Amino acid sequence: RAQVMAALGPDWDPLEVLRGEEEAYDLLYSGLDPEQQRVYDELVAADVLPVRGGGHAAA
């Protein structure tokens, strides 16, 4: 563990990394066309993907 933490360096911020990942997922599921939105909604309903943006991907 010490080696991993040393490799990450003193500026590594795990909360900032998490925020960046959430932003990336929001972008990934934004601007879907109707067919993509349908598939996304089915995957959310099947608990394969988490709910984002009130149950629908952002437009």
Side-chain angles (χ1 to χ4, degrees), residues 28-46:
L28 179 64
Y29 297 116
S30 68
L32 301 178
D33 66 31
E35 176 63 13
Q36 293 168 328
Q37 184 67 54
R38 183 191 63 74
V39 171
Y40 170 82
D41 290 340
E42 286 181 8
L43 292 172
V44 169

Side-chain angles (χ1 to χ4, degrees), residues 8 11 18 21-24 28 37 39 41-44 46 48 50 56:
L8 290 171
D11 296 327
L18 264 171
E21 287 181 4
E22 289 299 315
E23 289 174 11
L28 179 64
Q37 184 67 54
V39 171
D41 290 340
E42 286 181 8
L43 292 172
V44 169
V48 174
H56 294 282

Side-chain angles (χ1 to χ4, degrees), residues 10-24:
D11 296 327
W12 182 68
D13 181 354
L15 293 178
E16 184 62 32
V17 170
L18 264 171
R19 280 189 289 274
E21 287 181 4
E22 289 299 315
E23 289 174 11

